[in-house]
Amino acid sequence: MASKSLHAIFTDDDILMQAVKALREKKYSIKEVFCPFPVHGLDKAMGLSHTRLAITSFLYGLVGLAVATWMMDFIMIEDWPQNIGGKPSFSYIENMPAFVPIMFEMTVFFAAHLMVITFYMRSKLWPFKKSENPDVRTTDDKFLMEISVNENNVQAIAEVLHENGASEIKLIDNK
Amino acid sequence: MSHYESPIRKPLVTGDKSYHDVTLDVVRSVEGQANKSWWVAFSIALIAFLWGLGCIVYTVSEGIGTWGLNKTIGWAWDITNFVWWVGIGHAGTLISAVLLLFRQKWRMAINRSAEAMTIFAVVQAGLFPIIHMGRPWLAYWVLPIPNQYGSLWVNFNSPLLWDVFAISTYLSVSLVFWWTGLLPDFAMIRDRAVKPFQKHIYGILAFGWSGRAKDWQRFEEVSLVLAGLATPLVLSVHTIVSFDFATSVIPGWHTTIFPPYFVAGAVFSGFAMVNTLLIIMRKVSNLENYITIQHIELMNIVIMITGSIVGVAYITELFMAWYSGVEYEQYAFLNRATGPYAWAYWSMMTCNVFSPQLMWFPKLRRSIMFSFFISIVVNIGMWFERFVIIVTSLHRDYMPSAWTMFSPTFVDIGIFVGTIGFFFVLFLLYSRTFPVIAQAEVKSILKASGEKFKKIRAEKGDDAKLYVEPKQEPLPDFSAQFNSKSNS
């Protein structure tokens, strides 16, 4: 038997939040919510775990710093330790101040770009990706909630949604 | 839901705007047709760009000797324009990143255009380091790529190499920051598009954005971290640009005040350019309800503050020159104020120190005409600042036998005009094809800062309902549907 979902449309973020809370109180799990803009507190209300993207960014930054340090130490100190304008090239630390700008820039470069790429990969976003919002109005001003249902609870969930201000409720076959 | 917002705050979105109205106002310029004045402006910008392109081709094929440079003055309009454009670019990041970190809601309506301005200005800036090279076809030698010369590397002591890293990092990070912010807005245009071609193009641009709760959570985290990275980046980039001068031994250049002072100047000129562009844009794109007088006033206040910082820096430099007891340093400043380029110095002083002080008068800073006028004046002044720092320090320094003068040729001027043209070509195309206001962000502050909702709260208190109850159909029998559908 194909599984099914209820799609409920809400016209306002406040109504959506009430409905999310009501469903969570009754222990129904919400499959997905599509919003036109970030509704603050929605992830908490839905019980989504916090994203770890900031942590990845920190680690990428460390990688960038290491790459910059290794690159400049190899090129300036190990490979061709030349005298350029009287700058000391005997050890990395002696000429370190001149390397700070690039160490800094590469830290930022790695932290920013690799985190953004991680975000695109985790959220599955790329140029030829097909959009997956079930209703085009969810990028304009409507909010859509998707809940997996079965024969026993479909009417109960629909009633909760209806009581909490869903303006349209539809039963959809899951693909 | 209850929400407390101080009644002292003026609305950031005027008019009785709903979420859908925001959508319609943002897509109007994208879905509509360009009018005659757009085509006129675009044609002028395109001609200027093509003229500049001709001058660039002429320079590269004929040689740098076509410019007004001489043996004493090896940098003049090229680096002046480079630093000027980089400076202009900085306001975009300031608006989108620093104002985000400080939770300034007024940034929402202006950050998209300010970032577009950043990208387009940095593109212009990026041309100069290439075309001012004697042999620009060897420009790739600045990159530390393993090669057949042994490997022969680059020297990491030079601020010009730091520039390469700084500008390319800055441009690329700004670009992804801007693009990530654009995804929900492109998705909105994609989902509204009726023409298949438009739908296809915006579908590609939107990267399949669907607006899931988890996507938004990550999106906000990415924006916050990028803002946290872009803020030190923007400070470091102009610092590194200022190192081009500050690390030298030239009197008038060798100063420790340059890094913060250049950054202040960058914010100053950048905000002036944002003001110039947005004052026009709010009018021609009918966005007066989003870019309000309050936005312009706040930008004027930033201009006033950074203008004052720049003023303090000028006075500090003068004081330190006198206090140093170094004749060369003292002469450098005497030469600026009374030498053959005194006209440039005093126009810089007038534009940068005097004009922003007029913003102390509320009447003036709340006047659109006056703000527009001052924003142009500030950009002229900041161009002169870079010109004065570069040329007056070079044309008379240690050896009087090397003293000389500088005057630009038509090629110097043509390339500068060309970059202005190129900038406007890009900006005009952007304003017709991109969502010029970050609609997703504006929608997220609409209830807190929209005029309509502020009125409701003023009348009915903070717990007032900020929505209309939806019309509901009677609930159908889903149990029956469930079975009938699965049987079929």
Side-chain angles (χ1 to χ4, degrees):
Chain A
M1 190 182 80
S3 64
K4 298 194 178 203
S5 302
L6 278 176
H7 280 187
I9 295 262
F10 295 87
T11 52
D12 190 275
D13 43 333
D14 288 342
I15 307 175
L16 170 78
M17 286 291 274
Q18 285 167 17
V20 168
K21 280 172 191 160
L23 280 164
R24 294 268 298 166
E25 244 166 53
K26 298 219 157 79
K27 308 279 181 212
Y28 294 126
S29 68
I30 298 163
K31 197 166 142 201
E32 201 60 79
V33 177
F34 296 88
C35 308
F37 58 85
V39 178
H40 291 224
L42 178 66
D43 49 345
K44 265 211 187 103
M46 285 173 69
L48 296 180
S49 55
H50 201 271
T51 171
R52 292 165 293 178
L53 280 167
I55 301 166
T56 67
S57 177
F58 178 77
L59 298 175
Y60 295 143
L62 292 181
V63 172
L65 183 63
V67 168
T69 310
W70 171 80
M71 174 181 75
M72 289 188 288
D73 180 64
F74 173 71
I75 291 174
M76 297 295 289
I77 311 295
E78 307 296 333
D79 205 21
W80 299 68
Q82 295 201 106
N83 183 340
I84 303 163
K87 288 241 170 197
S89 56
F90 308 105
S91 69
Y92 192 77
I93 198 73
E94 270 179 302
N95 202 15
M96 204 272 289
F99 303 144
V100 169
I102 289 178
M103 284 156 72
F104 177 85
E105 293 301 328
M106 287 185 73
T107 307
V108 170
F109 185 92
F110 276 62
H113 285 295
L114 293 178
M115 175 190 63
V116 169
I117 292 168
T118 309
F119 164 59
Y120 284 178
M121 285 166 69
R122 288 288 285 143
S123 285
K124 299 194 172 60
L125 301 166
W126 58 86
F128 290 93
K129 172 84 187 289
K130 287 270 169 289
S131 63
E132 286 163 352
N133 46 335
D135 191 306
V136 291
R137 292 171 298 171
T138 60
T139 51
D140 177 359
D141 64 342
K142 297 284 190 281
F143 305 78
L144 190 145
M145 193 194 289
E146 195 178 345
I147 306 126
S148 295
V149 289
N150 57 44
E151 200 167 352
N152 302 319
N153 63 17
V154 58
Q155 198 64 20
I157 292 176
E159 267 164 29
V160 178
L161 290 168
H162 193 256
E163 271 166 34
N164 285 285
S167 62
E168 296 164 32
I169 305 172
K170 270 185 226 157
L171 188 65
I172 306 283
D173 279 309
N174 282 346
K175 276 166 204 159
Chain B
M1 257 193 306
S2 78
H3 172 86
Y4 178 73
E5 171 106 354
S6 168
I8 207 167
R9 298 197 181 278
K10 281 178 256 166
L12 291 171
V13 181
T14 57
D16 284 353
K17 298 290 178 189
S18 66
Y19 294 139
H20 189 57
D21 294 333
V22 177
T23 304
L24 294 179
D25 288 335
V26 172
V27 296
R28 194 186 302 120
S29 59
V30 177
E31 292 177 352
Q33 294 287 320
N35 60 16
K36 207 174 157 191
S37 47
W38 186 90
W39 282 108
V40 171
F42 183 74
S43 310
I44 295 169
L46 192 67
I47 290 165
F49 168 44
L50 293 174
W51 172 251
L53 202 65
C55 289
I56 290 173
V57 171
Y58 179 54
T59 300
V60 172
S61 53
E62 200 66 25
I64 293 292
T66 55
W67 292 2
L69 301 173
N70 51 52
K71 281 185 177 175
T72 299
I73 301 165
W75 275 357
W77 275 54
D78 47 351
I79 300 301
T80 300
N81 298 334
F82 164 68
V83 181
W84 187 73
W85 276 119
V86 175
I88 284 174
H90 279 28
T93 316
L94 257 297
I95 287 169
S96 55
V98 179
L99 298 185
L100 188 150
L101 295 182
F102 286 107
R103 301 285 178 209
Q104 296 296 302
K105 287 180 183 165
W106 62 276
R107 78 174 195 283
M108 305 280 191
I110 56 174
N111 58 2
R112 177 64 43 74
S113 297
E115 284 188 55
M117 188 194 75
T118 291
I119 311 267
F120 304 149
V122 175
V123 167
Q124 307 314 321
L127 290 172
F128 288 101
I130 309 277
I131 57 175
H132 91 306
M133 289 180 174
R135 283 167 284 176
W137 48 91
L138 299 180
Y140 68 97
W141 283 11
V142 304
L143 303 173
I145 310 168
N147 51 61
Q148 74 274 42
Y149 300 104
S151 282
L152 188 61
W153 303 112
V154 289
N155 159 31
F156 285 96
N157 289 316
S158 168
L160 300 182
L161 186 69
W162 307 344
D163 267 349
V164 172
F165 280 81
I167 300 294
S168 52
T169 302
Y170 185 56
L171 179 63
S172 66
V173 171
S174 300
L175 199 62
V176 296
F177 192 9
W178 187 55
W179 201 269
T180 306
L182 275 161
L183 296 181
D185 296 9
F186 280 143
M188 175 197 79
I189 300 177
R190 170 199 71 202
D191 286 350
R192 282 179 52 84
V194 276
K195 294 178 208 147
F197 177 72
Q198 245 190 0
K199 201 169 189 74
H200 184 65
I201 294 294
Y202 286 103
I204 295 169
L205 297 180
F207 284 19
W209 177 264
S210 307
R212 291 186 179 88
K214 189 73 192 176
D215 292 347
W216 280 116
Q217 185 203 38
R218 291 190 184 125
F219 176 90
E220 295 220 285
E221 184 86 350
V222 164
S223 307
L224 187 64
V225 174
L226 279 182
L229 289 168
T231 303
L233 184 61
V234 77
L235 302 181
S236 77
V237 168
H238 221 62
T239 293
I240 290 172
V241 168
S242 85
F243 284 163
D244 293 349
F245 313 102
T247 60
S248 73
V249 294
I250 303 292
W253 280 10
H254 184 73
T255 329
T256 51
I257 202 173
F258 269 14
Y261 148 49
F262 267 52
V263 172
V267 182
F268 181 54
S269 65
F271 268 78
M273 188 60 117
V274 174
N275 234 351
T276 313
L277 295 174
L278 289 185
I279 286 171
I280 299 172
M281 181 177 267
R282 72 195 285 277
K283 193 84 198 157
V284 297
S285 302
N286 291 315
L287 297 169
E288 280 122 324
N289 281 317
Y290 303 94
I291 302 161
T292 64
I293 304 283
Q294 197 193 164
H295 289 87
I296 293 170
E297 186 183 355
L298 288 164
M299 285 194 276
N300 282 332
I301 291 172
V302 175
I303 290 172
M304 179 181 84
I305 293 169
T306 48
S308 304
I309 297 173
V310 168
V312 169
Y314 289 168
I315 297 163
T316 309
E317 276 198 309
L318 288 172
F319 171 78
M320 291 311 297
W322 165 75
Y323 190 61
S324 70
V326 179
E327 296 94 331
Y328 297 107
E329 190 74 13
Q330 289 169 343
Y331 181 73
F333 283 87
L334 193 70
N335 179 45
R336 279 184 195 177
T338 62
Y341 289 109
W343 59 273
Y345 180 77
W346 291 109
S347 33
M348 160 193 110
M349 277 293 195
T350 316
C351 294
N352 292 353
V353 182
F354 180 69
S355 70
Q357 299 307 321
L358 293 169
M359 294 299 182
W360 288 98
F361 301 104
K363 257 224 166 87
L364 292 177
R365 68 170 183 258
R366 284 174 203 156
S367 150
I368 293 177
M369 282 305 286
F370 185 76
S371 308
F372 187 73
F373 171 70
I374 288 293
S375 69
I376 304 278
V377 167
V378 165
N379 272 315
I380 295 171
M382 284 308 292
W383 191 89
F384 273 115
E385 184 197 291
R386 276 72 205 242
F387 178 78
V388 164
I389 290 173
I390 293 170
V391 170
T392 65
S393 307
L394 285 177
H395 89 120
R396 289 183 176 180
D397 62 350
Y398 293 112
M399 272 195 317
S401 58
W403 286 9
T404 181
M405 290 292 288
F406 168 80
S407 56
T409 64
F410 81 95
V411 190
D412 284 296
I413 300 166
I415 292 174
F416 180 47
V417 170
T419 55
I420 295 175
F422 191 14
F423 176 80
F424 279 102
V425 164
L426 293 171
F427 199 84
L428 285 163
L429 288 173
Y430 149 82
S431 70
R432 300 242 15 110
T433 48
F434 278 51
V436 293
I437 284 185
Q439 53 89 24
E441 293 197 69
V442 168
K443 284 172 185 171
S444 72
I445 60 158
L446 192 61
K447 277 192 174 169
S449 307
E451 192 179 16
K452 179 175 154 189
F453 299 99
K454 283 183 92 80
K455 260 190 210 151
I456 297 175
R457 277 201 303 275
E459 280 164 20
K460 298 180 185 161
D462 289 327
D463 292 323
K465 261 187 195 168
L466 296 175
Y467 53 86
V468 191
E469 294 284 355
K471 275 179 219 138
Q472 284 183 308
E473 307 281 313
L475 193 66
D477 185 1
F478 284 110
S479 302
Q481 264 190 41
F482 195 96
N483 292 321
S484 71
K485 271 200 179 171
S486 60
N487 292 342
S488 64

